[in-house]
Amino acid sequence: MVDLNDFATKGTEALLRWQLDQETLVSPEVFIPIAEYSGQMVEIGDWVLRIACKQNKQWRDSGAKDLKIAVNVSPYQLYNPHFAHSVQDVISEFEIPRHCLELEITESMIITENEHFLKTLNELSEMGVRLLMDDFGTGYSCLSNLRHLPFDVLKIDKSFITDYDTIASTIIAMGKQLDMKIVAEGIETKKTLDILRAQKCDFAQGYLFQGPSPAKDIDIFKQYNNS
């Protein structure tokens, strides 16, 4: 994730892939539904959270003191009444500043919100963990949803970014009105980047900066050259 004010790297997102063999990576679109159906999603999600925080700790120890790590969360984790406690345990274990952990929750999950869902979100927010609404613009949420949910960041779905749909500018303006930060994903061209900057988007990520990579190949001190 790149800050569109100074083009410095401010965060990374943990992406899960299944290494089937030396040459084959299986997409989460394939194995996540299987994990959910088999009841393994909570265990896998907790493992990903721990590995991500451990990596963030290593980067912080190397000098990236305020680097954020974003982790996708499944509904199965949010419905677990002990999820917030598990997050607190991982944060304490690796001594991660709470604001440096970002949990991404897809907009489509909002339509199934219930008492346990909202309780967990509020517990995480009160804890100081940042909450991101992922894939915003593709689901069914509305302004009234955003006003009573404790999200800190809106993440614009890449389908509105490739050719810069006018919906993106509307989302940016709406997020600003709600005092939320905005992240645009799927950035591939400098033209799109310049348009987003003109619209006062806060952060961006995508192949223009770096594609999905192993942690060892990520330069956390890299600053994008926008000239």
Side-chain angles (χ1 to χ4, degrees), residues 160-177:
F160 300 122
I161 297 299
T162 305
D163 298 314
Y164 196 75
D165 193 298
T166 54
I167 294 176
S169 60
T170 302
I171 293 173
I172 293 172
M174 183 174 65
K176 295 295 183 181
Q177 287 293 319

Side-chain angles (χ1 to χ4, degrees), residues 24-160:
T24 306
L25 287 177
V26 180
S27 167
E29 295 179 356
V30 175
F31 65 79
I32 290 297
I34 297 173
E36 291 177 340
Y37 181 78
S38 64
Q40 300 179 74
M41 196 59 245
V42 171
E43 183 178 355
I44 292 174
D46 289 347
W47 176 80
V48 171
L49 177 65
R50 190 174 187 282
I51 294 299
C53 287
K54 180 179 180 180
Q55 180 61 60
N56 187 265
K57 165 69 170 174
Q58 294 175 2
W59 280 329
R60 282 177 48 77
D61 288 346
S62 69
K65 297 300 183 183
D66 203 40
L67 187 76
K68 294 176 174 56
I69 183 76
V71 179
N72 292 278
V73 177
S74 81
Y76 293 88
Q77 291 172 278
L78 286 178
Y79 295 149
N80 180 351
H82 305 295
F83 180 62
H85 183 72
S86 297
V87 171
Q88 177 59 66
D89 286 346
V90 174
I91 288 174
S92 298
E93 179 181 357
F94 294 106
E95 301 177 330
I96 303 295
R98 297 179 181 188
H99 72 278
C100 287
L101 176 60
E102 300 183 330
L103 299 180
E104 297 196 7
I105 300 157
T106 59
E107 184 190 13
S108 59
M109 290 169 58
I110 303 304
I111 64 172
T112 60
E113 66 182 67
N114 59 26
E115 182 180 349
H116 293 297
F117 179 96
L118 293 174
K119 181 175 183 292
T120 301
L121 286 184
N122 286 321
E123 287 176 345
L124 292 167
S125 179
E126 292 169 3
M127 189 187 301
V129 172
R130 286 165 58 86
L131 301 178
L132 282 71
M133 184 181 287
D134 196 12
D135 297 339
F136 189 76
T138 62
Y140 304 93
S141 63
C142 60
L143 192 60
S144 60
N145 289 118
L146 293 178
R147 288 189 182 281
H148 78 268
L149 292 172
F151 284 92
D152 304 287
V153 181
L154 289 183
K155 198 169 186 180
I156 307 174
D157 185 75
K158 62 183 178 182
S159 62
F160 300 122

